[in-house]
Amino acid sequence: MNIAIVGATGNVGRKILEVLEKKELSIDNLYLVASSKSAGTKIEFKGKKHEIFDLKDFDFSKARITFFAAGGKISETFAEKAAKKSLVIDNSSFFRMDPDVPLIIPQVNPDDLNNIKKNIIANPNCSTAQLVIALKPLHDVYKIKRIVVSTYQSVSGGGKAPMDELIEQTKSVLDSKKVESKNFTKQIAFNAIPHIDVFSDDGYTKEELKMTHETKKILDEKIELTATCVRIPVSISHSEAVNIEFEKPFVLGEIRKILDNFEGCKVIDERSDGGYSTPIEAAGKDETFISRIREDKTIKNGLNLWIVSDNLLRGAALNAVEIAETLIKNDYYGK
Ligand SMILES: NC(=O)c1ccc[n+]([C@@H]2O[C@H](COP(=O)([O-])OP(=O)(O)OC[C@H]3O[C@@H](n4cnc5c(N)ncnc54)[C@H](OP(=O)(O)O)[C@@H]3O)[C@@H](O)[C@H]2O)c1
């Protein structure tokens, strides 16, 4: 099994390496690829130093599976070329809504892997992934009509540079120095910014629209979803306050059981001080944590949830590796 990772030096690329280290996948050759800036430097994997290759010169025929985690522009330019020689699992948003590219969360819609046409499989947006994992088992039983979601997203969702900037800004504030914002539109330290990705004409941001469109593509086109996405000064893990309207009535005890029994979900909902999940506790864990499970008494069949998950793991690296595992298990070798 030969594997390549484009963007191996970034947040998601490094997490993919961590996940691969823990998994039992046997890898014969691993090719780490990044920009010319990193080419020639080394990253350790399973005790062995691996040199970084320059994307511009990389021969994709060396790898059976190539993970792309270097941003939409790089995927746009290189993924289709790579897909002629290697099966591509793309973490960027570039191919997600392409009808010929399946958008996959293995425990939610594995059957969509039967629809690989371009040799490319897309990984969903991090905020969509954790939401859909929690909603899938509930949709199967009670049928979701409408979702209202507000996100509290960590800075690592924007990449390594914004993560470093949160620390720099925090130090500047504590030292009473002038705060400079390079990767954010406003100061992020001790603040909240209701703007992730670019604005569209109707006032929604692309991050908000991604949540709507990706949820429909993965779960059900009939589901209506409206989102407000907010960046907060947290390093890792996204949180979501979610309001759901079902077609069918439910009993809270059943909701808990269904969520707790679904692969990848964990209910932490004690209705007491500290009896809920927070971003720090979710960081580094594979599960999607669900807390604050309550009936919304203002609508028929309404439910409120608080969903927290590690955006780099669940929302990107782990999901990407699980897609690869599913394909390998199914003996899929690409077109
Ligand atoms: N962070 C998340 O929670 C998350 C979740 C889901 C999906 N994603 C997606 O995953 C992708 C990567 O995100 P990230 O957070 O890992 O970003 P990041 O930390 O900024 O890392 C970017 C990576 O891309 C590489 N890169 C940049 N320009 C390049 C070029 N011209 N040629 C080759 N490689 C280049 C960088 O290499 P150098 O070090 O050499 O510059 C680095 O390895 C994005 O598409 C993002 O939307 C991220």
Side-chain angles (χ1 to χ4, degrees):
M1 171 58 64
N2 296 337
I3 285 182
I5 303 172
V6 177
T9 52
N11 264 350
V12 174
R14 282 179 188 269
K15 269 287 162 200
I16 291 175
L17 283 170
E18 269 181 43
V19 174
L20 288 173
E21 278 209 308
K22 284 190 204 142
K23 295 264 181 191
E24 281 170 18
L25 260 180
S26 80
I27 301 172
D28 299 311
N29 292 297
L30 178 68
Y31 300 98
L32 306 183
V33 185
S35 74
S36 39
K37 188 186 85 192
S38 311
T41 58
K42 289 186 175 154
I43 291 184
E44 203 168 295
F45 178 77
K46 290 195 173 168
K48 198 178 144 208
K49 291 220 155 81
H50 287 70
E51 190 168 324
I52 306 289
F53 293 90
D54 189 337
L55 172 63
K56 285 202 300 301
D57 317 318
F58 186 67
D59 173 8
F60 286 97
S61 64
K62 287 180 167 168
R64 175 177 155 197
I65 294 177
T66 300
F67 295 100
F68 268 76
K73 277 265 163 279
I74 297 293
S75 294
E76 179 180 4
T77 315
F78 291 93
E80 280 183 284
K81 188 178 136 208
K84 295 205 166 80
K85 297 174 173 175
S86 180
L87 186 55
V88 169
I89 300 175
D90 184 35
N91 278 285
S92 84
S93 60
F94 189 74
F95 292 100
R96 287 183 195 147
M97 296 316 296
D98 184 328
D100 291 337
V101 172
L103 180 62
I104 299 291
I105 300 175
Q107 67 264 54
V108 173
N109 60 337
D111 292 348
D112 290 353
L113 281 173
N114 297 325
N115 189 30
I116 302 174
K117 293 194 179 131
K118 290 185 171 174
N119 235 15
I120 301 175
I121 298 127
N123 209 30
N125 184 35
C126 37
S127 33
T128 311
Q130 68 184 66
L131 177 74
V132 169
I133 285 174
L135 296 186
K136 161 74 179 163
L138 300 179
H139 182 57
D140 284 349
V141 181
Y142 305 110
K143 276 250 167 284
I144 297 170
K145 277 166 74 175
R146 178 171 182 259
I147 302 160
V148 182
V149 55
S150 302
T151 70
Y152 304 72
Q153 294 181 226
S154 69
V155 291
S156 60
K160 200 178 166 306
M163 243 176 136
D164 295 341
E165 189 175 329
L166 170 62
I167 295 175
E168 278 164 35
Q169 284 195 14
T170 307
K171 280 188 196 151
S172 297
V173 173
L174 295 176
D175 293 342
S176 306
K177 287 188 184 150
K178 188 170 176 278
V179 172
E180 263 189 77
S181 287
K182 287 175 256 158
N183 295 284
F184 302 96
T185 51
K186 299 207 176 202
Q187 176 181 321
I188 185 68
F190 305 98
N191 205 1
I193 305 175
H195 172 193
I196 302 179
D197 213 329
V198 295
F199 275 97
S200 70
D201 291 343
D202 61 4
Y204 283 88
T205 63
K206 201 174 153 202
E207 184 79 358
E208 290 159 355
L209 298 176
K210 277 185 260 182
M211 288 195 82
T212 300
H213 298 141
E214 293 179 22
T215 300
K216 283 174 178 283
K217 181 166 175 176
I218 298 169
L219 213 52
D220 190 334
E221 286 293 336
K222 289 195 212 84
I223 292 176
E224 298 295 348
L225 184 149
T226 183
T228 302
C229 292
V230 182
R231 190 72 80 196
I232 57 161
V234 157
S235 253
I236 295 175
S237 301
H238 293 345
S239 306
E240 297 173 345
V242 188
N243 178 264
I244 308 153
E245 188 182 348
F246 294 108
E247 269 177 25
K248 296 182 191 160
F250 60 83
V251 177
L252 275 186
E254 271 176 24
I255 295 266
R256 275 169 212 278
K257 253 195 236 151
I258 290 169
L259 286 171
D260 225 8
N261 287 335
F262 190 64
E263 189 191 340
C265 285
K266 190 168 169 64
V267 170
I268 298 185
D269 189 31
E270 292 164 18
R271 298 186 171 185
S272 61
D273 293 355
Y276 37 78
S277 58
T278 63
I280 281 179
E281 290 142 335
K285 309 233 171 70
D286 291 355
E287 294 96 337
T288 293
F289 296 94
I290 301 133
S291 305
R292 306 294 322 279
I293 303 173
R294 293 149 289 155
E295 208 179 307
D296 172 2
K297 294 175 184 161
T298 67
I299 52 168
K300 204 175 158 202
N301 306 331
L303 180 76
N304 284 314
L305 302 175
W306 172 249
I307 302 173
V308 187
S309 200
D310 182 324
N311 52 297
L312 298 177
L313 260 179
R314 183 70 273 166
L318 180 64
N319 199 66
V321 173
E322 285 177 355
I323 292 173
E325 283 182 315
T326 311
L327 292 165
I328 292 164
K329 206 168 70 197
N330 295 346
D331 276 334
Y332 185 86
Y333 279 85
K335 305 222 181 249

